[in-house]
Structures are given as C-alpha cells and as structure tokens.
Amino acid sequence: GMEPAARLCLALCLAGVLPAPGCRGAQGRFAYKLLHDLFANYSSALRPVEDTDRALNVTLQVTLSQIIDMDERNQVLTSYLWVRQTWLDAHLTWDKDEYGGIDSIRIPSSYVWRPDIILYNNADEHFGGSMETNVVLRSDGHITWDSPAITKSSCKVDVSYFPFDGQRCRLTFGSWTYNGNQIDLRNQLDTGDLTDFVENVEWEMLGMPATRNVITYGCCSEPYPDVTYTLLLRRRASFYIFNLLLPCIMVSFLAPLGFYLPADSGEKVSLGVTVLLALTVFQLLVAESMPPSESVPLIGKYYIATMTMITASTALTIFIMNVHHCGPGARPVPPWARRLILHHMARLCCVYEVGESCKSPQRALGGRAGVGDARGPGESPGEGQAGTEVRGCPWDHCLCHHDALLRNVGYIAGCFRRHRANQRRTGEWKKVAKVMDRFFMWVFFLMVFLMSVLVLGNAA
C-alpha cells in the first residue's frame, strides 16, 4: 500500500493545487523506489519467461535512414539503420497506482535482458552490434529497445547491365544463440520503414520488403527464425551516361572518319591509333570500379566492341593505303575488280571524279573506258595521227638519216605511252582505294550506330 502522505501529495498534484516542483519531487522519489524494487531480485542474464518451455516473442522493425556507400568492387553495402526490438519481460511488471501513476521508465539497456539479435551477413571487421541506448520499460512488462546502427553487409552485386543496373541487397537479422523454441522472432510490418529515408545521389530506393524465414542450419537440429529485409535499389545512370557513355560514343564516331581522310595526308593511321588510346583510358576507368568477376558490364562490352572495330578499321586503312600507294610498277586492275569496285561500288558509295555527277557515274565511266579501249594503251588522240603522218612521209622529202630520227621519235613516244599507261593504272588503283575507303566508312558508321542503339536499347 502507498503511504497516506504520498497518496495525499499525488491527489493534490493531480488536482493542480500543489506547485509542479513538489509533484516532480514526488514522482522522482517513486521512480527511485520503482527502480530499486524492480531490480532487487532481477538477473539480466536469463531469458525472462514464466515458463521456460514457452518461446519468447520478439518483434523486429527496421527503419532505413540512409545508404552511406555501395562498394561494388568489394561487394559491401554500408547503411544507417534504426533497429526497434520489442518483447515482454515477465519479471519487470508493476502496479502503476502504487508508484504514483508511473506508466513507463527509461533505463540503460544493459540493466535488462536483451535478445542477442545480430546481422547475419555482416561484413565489418569490427563485429559491432548496435549502440548502447536506453530501453523504454512499460508497467505491463513490455520493453521497447530502439538503437541506431551503421551496418556493413555483404551484398552480391551483379554489374552485367552497369550503369543501368539494379541491385537486391539483403539484411538478415536473427538470434545468434537462441533457437526458434526459445525466441520466436517476427517482423512487425511487411516492409522496412522508409519514411525517414534520406535520398541517395547514386541509388534510387524502390522498396524494402521483409520476410520471415525459419532455417535449420547444418550445426544444429533446432530451427532458427530470421527476418530478412531486401533492399531494392536502382542506379541513377545519368552521371555515368555523361561521363563514360557519351564521350565513348563521340570518340567511336570519329573512327570511321579515318576512312574519309585523304590518303595523301598521312594522318589516317595515327587518327585510328589516337582514338584507340582514348577508348583504352575510358575502359580503364570502368574496370577500376567494377568487381573482377566473369560478368563483363554492358558498358565494358560496348568499349571492347568499339575498340575491336577501331582496330579493324586501322588495319583496313593500312591495307587501303597500300593499294593507294601501289606505285608505277603495279599490275592493271583485274576485270572483276574494275566491274565490282569501279562500277557498282563507286555508284553505291557516290564516289565520282571531277566532271562526273553522282547520278550518272556509269555513263561517264563507261564512256571513258570505251574510248580508252578503242585507242592503244595510254595513247592520246593526237598520237595516232602524228604517227601516220610520219609513216606517210614521202621518201623524196625525208633527210637521209630519217631512220635514226624515226627510231628516236618512236622511243620517245613509247616512253610517253608507257608513262601514260602507268599513270592510268596508278590512277585506277587510287580510285579503287578511294571507293573502298568510302564503302568501309559507311559500313563502320552503320556499325557504330547499331552498337550504340543496342547498348541504349539494352539499358532501356
């Protein structure tokens, strides 16, 4: 029973007659008395149940406050959580009327028995639990323990679609030593609480569903319940699009322009090599932040494909340069190459010389070829006539040593003819090189465009 003075004091306090400090003094005295009475015969070492065969219900609720860091390379998620655990302590109950109406008190959590619930997939070298915060103890024996914790949890990161990837990271909470027959762990809600979540710059939070699992481990025959929260994260890709993807697409569109560069500039191969080097730098940046796993990220595949393409284009450029600079000793262009490259492909790629239009290259080509075939190889229209005049020179007007003169003139004409034939052959090979250049330029432009569309389509 309560002392009459205390009862009178409490009544006067409640009626508002006594000043507040007097009331507080009374409450403080009751709180001391309550604490002394509660913990006189209490041990925080033992599970607080009346019947030791019954399981103790522990309810868990996790609030995600912040995602501090996601380390893809080491596959560790660092997050800031508020963990709330509630349970019933059968040994810590009191009648609030006896203690001045005190319904709840806040005491250090080390005073009471606490469930040893830890994060199973912890990845921190200091295996620290939550902070030593107070518990709220109610008169009916219900204990609520709220504690903040910065956790490092292992999380299997799949970067196949980086930077357009989503991750599922699990936080599994369970008791370390008590099995399901001693502590029955349950989740209070079906999801983690995200009302106080601080938005992350890199990751978008899609949800945090909670599930309760009962697992029998290899060590023991008893079931162990756990509560698993799954963080559904999606990466915000805009940073990576602007810093990794767009520069790569721009640089890779430069590669086919190496074919457009005139062969005499001498810069064709160096452009290809420079582009290749630029892409290698970007690829190293990606490789540094990714885990060294078998699954190559999407952006990495794009870089490798582009680099392969640029290597091929540089090799083809070297081959075409050889064709272009084949020199006067070259064989004539084979008939199939003349037909395929100089007629059909030239028309397809709109390669034409001065005086030809893109609409009618065949007529111009055909006309030229016809005239050339009618005359001798490399003969100019005037040459044949001059020759006939020389041959038709009347004997009586010629000088006596006209044979030597004729021989020399014939030799000079032959030299000119050979020179013109060589020139035309070299010109034809140059035209072949130009047509092939232009053809490969369009092919590679198409390849770069298709690859970029494929990557962005995969991302979508």
Side-chain angles (χ1 to χ4, degrees):
M2 201 188 284
E3 299 161 25
R7 201 175 289 130
L8 175 68
C9 172
L10 179 64
L12 291 172
C13 277
L14 292 174
V17 177
L18 266 181
C23 283
R24 272 212 294 278
Q27 285 280 55
R29 280 215 313 282
F30 285 130
Y32 272 106
K33 184 176 187 306
L34 172 60
L35 192 63
H36 179 267
D37 293 351
L38 279 178
F39 291 100
N41 294 314
Y42 180 83
S43 166
S44 64
L46 295 173
R47 197 166 53 98
V49 284
E50 297 287 1
D51 179 5
T52 48
D53 293 337
R54 298 279 295 278
L56 175 69
N57 286 329
V58 176
T59 311
L60 182 73
Q61 179 56 30
V62 170
T63 301
L64 180 66
S65 174
Q66 192 181 353
I67 292 169
I68 297 171
D69 178 44
M70 164 73 98
D71 183 356
E72 291 96 343
R73 195 165 180 81
N74 298 314
Q75 310 207 356
V76 172
L77 171 74
T78 310
S79 46
Y80 178 40
L81 308 173
W82 302 340
V83 184
R84 166 172 287 194
Q85 299 169 46
T86 50
W87 66 94
L88 180 67
D89 194 317
H91 303 144
L92 295 178
T93 58
W94 71 89
D95 180 5
K96 52 188 176 187
D97 294 336
E98 288 187 17
Y99 293 94
I102 294 177
D103 185 38
S104 62
I105 55 170
R106 281 149 182 79
I107 51 174
S109 57
S110 55
Y111 283 30
V112 300
W113 174 90
R114 294 170 296 182
D116 57 346
I117 286 168
I118 61 153
L119 180 67
Y120 278 179
N121 56 332
N122 195 357
D124 199 357
E125 61 271 14
H126 314 296
F127 207 101
S130 35
M131 263 177 66
E132 291 289 324
T133 49
N134 285 350
V135 295
V136 180
L137 174 57
R138 293 218 322 265
S139 58
D140 55 2
H142 271 98
I143 295 181
T144 305
W145 183 26
D146 280 327
S147 62
I150 291 177
T151 59
K152 284 189 177 181
S153 54
S154 53
C155 168
K156 190 175 184 301
V157 181
D158 178 20
V159 288
S160 307
Y161 288 99
F162 173 86
F164 306 99
D165 54 332
Q167 303 297 341
R168 300 168 68 90
C169 286
R170 290 183 175 81
L171 298 170
T172 304
F173 293 93
S175 170
W176 192 247
T177 54
Y178 294 107
N179 58 48
N181 304 325
Q182 296 163 325
I183 284 187
D184 188 12
L185 184 64
R186 298 197 170 276
N187 45 313
Q188 192 175 339
L189 303 171
D190 288 337
T191 64
D193 187 3
L194 295 172
T195 47
D196 296 301
F197 180 65
V198 180
E199 283 296 322
N200 188 276
V201 287
E202 189 180 356
W203 296 95
E204 186 185 344
M205 193 73 193
L206 301 180
M208 191 180 171
T211 51
R212 177 180 182 268
N213 312 298
V214 180
I215 299 173
T216 307
Y217 292 98
C219 68
C220 339
S221 55
E222 298 90 2
Y224 278 84
D226 67 57
V227 174
T228 301
Y229 291 91
T230 310
L231 276 70
L232 306 175
L233 304 168
R234 188 169 63 206
R235 195 189 297 271
R236 301 181 197 271
S238 51
F239 172 82
Y240 296 99
I241 289 173
F242 281 108
N243 289 293
L244 290 180
L245 208 57
L246 277 181
C248 173
I249 291 174
M250 288 175 186
V251 166
S252 55
F253 269 108
L254 272 181
L257 286 175
F259 289 118
Y260 193 71
L261 212 60
D264 298 323
S265 69
E267 292 290 319
K268 282 167 86 78
V269 178
S270 57
L271 176 70
V273 173
T274 312
V275 170
L276 200 60
L277 280 174
L279 275 180
T280 313
V281 170
F282 279 116
Q283 210 223 337
L284 283 174
L285 282 176
V286 174
E288 271 176 16
S289 59
M290 291 296 102
S293 65
E294 284 182 6
S295 63
V296 182
L298 186 67
I299 194 169
K301 286 177 187 165
Y302 179 60
Y303 282 155
I304 293 293
T306 313
M307 283 159 74
T308 311
M309 207 189 68
I310 290 167
T311 309
S313 82
T314 311
L316 277 170
T317 301
I318 294 169
F319 167 69
I320 290 168
M321 294 275 282
N322 261 326
V323 172
H324 181 274
H325 293 295
C326 59
R331 291 178 307 171
V333 178
W336 64 266
R338 184 180 277 118
R339 195 168 56 252
L340 175 72
I341 297 174
L342 294 183
H343 284 227
H344 302 299
M345 275 169 65
R347 197 186 330 159
L348 188 74
C349 302
C350 290
V351 179
Y352 47 90
E353 287 163 3
V354 184
E356 290 180 17
S357 77
C358 185
K359 300 271 172 59
S360 58
Q362 196 183 13
R363 187 171 47 77
L365 268 168
R368 271 212 349 274
V371 173
D373 294 344
R375 294 197 300 272
E379 228 174 348
S380 71
E383 276 172 6
Q385 292 149 17
T388 26
E389 273 179 26
V390 171
R391 282 193 206 97
C393 159
W395 281 99
D396 44 346
H397 289 102
C398 282
L399 298 166
C400 50
H401 53 278
H402 72 282
D403 286 337
L405 258 178
L406 276 176
R407 260 201 316 279
N408 289 340
V409 170
Y411 174 71
I412 293 168
C415 278
F416 266 112
R417 224 176 266 126
R418 278 196 302 278
H419 179 63
R420 291 285 295 279
N422 283 346
Q423 254 187 338
R424 185 198 285 148
R425 265 207 303 276
T426 334
E428 271 190 339
W429 279 116
K430 282 185 178 175
K431 178 89 181 286
V432 167
K434 191 176 179 183
V435 172
M436 284 166 71
D437 250 345
R438 205 57 56 83
F439 174 72
F440 284 128
M441 183 184 84
W442 290 118
V443 168
F444 277 77
F445 260 130
L446 189 70
M447 280 167 68
V448 171
F449 178 72
L450 282 177
M451 268 164 39
S452 306
V453 168
L454 267 175
V455 166
L456 297 171
N458 239 334

